[in-house]
Amino acid sequence: MKMMHWKLFITLLLFAGIAWAQTQPPGQTQTATNVPSKDLPQEEIIKKFSAKETEAYEAWMQYTYHQVAEVKINDVNGVPKRESMTTISDIVFKDDGSREVQVKRRAGNLHSVVYTMNDEEVINDLQPFALTEKELPLYDLQYEGREKVDELNCYVFSVKPKSIKGKRLYFQGRIYVDDRDLQIVRTLGKPVPQKKGGEQFPEFETIRQMVDKQFWFPVWTHAESRLHFDSDTVHIEETITYSEYKRFAAKTSIQFEPLPQ
């Protein structure tokens, strides 16, 4: 996002592809043990969870869900603000099978920042962060140890892009992989590159939960940071939740030709 010098300018927020079904995050994590896995080699863990991630992402794209996204400006240069905007949407499929975001209601305004197309990319792609087999070659992963996320025993990997090319944004941070299902259940990090004094993005945490007893889908994302622009520091907070996941079932119809006379 970029700093806006006290003029009202807000682009359409298309919050499609991020994650939540709860308004509060699941419990806190414990400190990593930094003990290498004795179950599988690191390369085998990465290979298996990336395959599961690809399967889960493809399935996720076939689900409808309800989404609530709230963005708040808490203060600018330490001066409290009461700026917020909430967007309520349904992600649905049309009769032709195409997927779309239907904005049901939007309330509130932001005056101190402006959302850019890159902000939409962060919300739609990076905050849910699917490390699929297609994306995997773009990143370096390093095994960090084990942690508990709620009651789940997880492998922890640090993730950073091998290089930053073109205009796209990348993820840099940590992922938490359930050691039983070998699916990502938590991501913690930030978008890169960030432009000092220019376009800035808050650090975020995304939590997933199991849907239909099979896939770990994003259910909650929270981002909060103090973004340092050229002349102002903005304390921004974002919360996005998804609920009511339902697998899309294509509608079919049978047409009968009239009998010959």
Side-chain angles (χ1 to χ4, degrees):
M1 62 191 60
K2 295 181 178 179
M3 189 62 200
M4 186 175 191
H5 298 291
W6 312 109
K7 294 185 293 183
L8 178 62
F9 180 74
I10 299 174
T11 58
L12 176 64
L13 288 176
L14 244 219
F15 295 103
I18 340 158
W20 322 301
Q22 299 176 343
T23 58
Q24 296 294 330
Q28 302 297 317
T29 61
Q30 300 178 2
T31 304
T33 62
N34 292 321
V35 176
S37 169
K38 296 181 180 179
D39 304 275
L40 294 170
Q42 173 180 324
E43 295 76 12
E44 187 69 14
I45 297 172
I46 294 173
K47 179 180 178 181
K48 287 181 177 294
F49 87 66
S50 182
K52 289 287 190 70
E53 185 79 346
T54 301
E55 181 183 1
Y57 178 76
E58 291 174 352
W60 183 60
M61 295 299 292
Q62 299 301 315
Y63 274 74
T64 64
Y65 49 88
H66 181 71
Q67 181 174 291
V68 179
E70 182 182 26
V71 182
K72 297 192 298 182
I73 305 298
N74 293 327
D75 68 71
V76 177
N77 298 326
V79 179
K81 295 290 181 181
R82 294 182 178 274
E83 301 177 24
S84 66
M85 181 166 61
T86 301
T87 302
I88 300 174
S89 307
D90 284 330
I91 287 71
V92 299
F93 289 84
K94 298 190 293 187
D95 289 340
D96 62 3
S98 61
R99 194 169 182 255
E100 71 172 7
V101 180
Q102 293 182 353
V103 177
K104 299 299 183 180
R105 185 167 66 89
R106 185 177 289 111
N109 281 309
L110 303 178
H111 302 279
S112 301
V113 295
V114 55
Y115 270 71
T116 68
M117 293 298 294
N118 281 340
D119 289 298
E120 291 186 6
E121 180 184 342
V122 169
I123 291 171
N124 295 339
D125 300 325
L126 281 183
Q127 287 178 341
F129 187 57
L131 191 55
T132 61
E133 292 167 317
K134 180 180 178 181
E135 288 288 300
L136 186 61
L138 303 178
Y139 289 91
D140 283 323
L141 277 70
Q142 181 65 46
Y143 179 72
E144 297 289 338
R146 287 176 174 265
E147 284 189 24
K148 275 207 171 227
V149 178
D150 286 340
E151 299 303 317
L152 301 175
N153 295 308
C154 295
Y155 303 116
V156 183
F157 290 87
S158 63
V159 181
K160 64 179 181 179
K162 292 180 177 179
S163 64
I164 298 174
K165 297 180 180 179
K167 297 181 178 180
R168 68 161 285 179
L169 292 168
Y170 297 84
F171 173 83
Q172 182 173 310
R174 307 175 92 195
I175 60 172
Y176 298 74
V177 180
D178 175 34
D179 69 356
R180 184 183 63 179
D181 294 330
L182 291 175
Q183 293 190 48
I184 296 174
V185 297
R186 182 187 187 224
T187 57
L188 183 66
K190 62 183 179 180
V192 291
Q194 303 227 16
K195 300 176 182 178
K196 186 177 181 180
E199 201 164 25
Q200 299 284 307
F201 309 98
E203 295 184 358
F204 65 88
E205 175 187 20
T206 295
I207 296 294
R208 302 185 188 185
Q209 290 186 344
M210 185 171 284
V211 173
D212 287 344
K213 299 181 180 180
Q214 185 175 8
F215 301 113
W216 289 88
F217 287 166
V219 294
W220 180 87
T221 293
H222 185 256
E224 183 173 3
S225 294
R226 294 187 181 276
L227 305 181
H228 302 285
F229 299 98
D230 289 329
S231 58
D232 297 282
T233 297
V234 178
H235 181 191
I236 190 167
E237 185 175 359
E238 301 175 1
T239 303
I240 307 170
T241 59
Y242 283 155
S243 62
E244 302 175 24
Y245 275 112
K246 295 179 181 178
R247 186 186 292 271
F248 170 67
K251 296 180 179 179
T252 60
S253 62
I254 301 176
Q255 294 183 348
F256 294 93
E257 296 293 333
L259 295 174
Q261 299 294 326

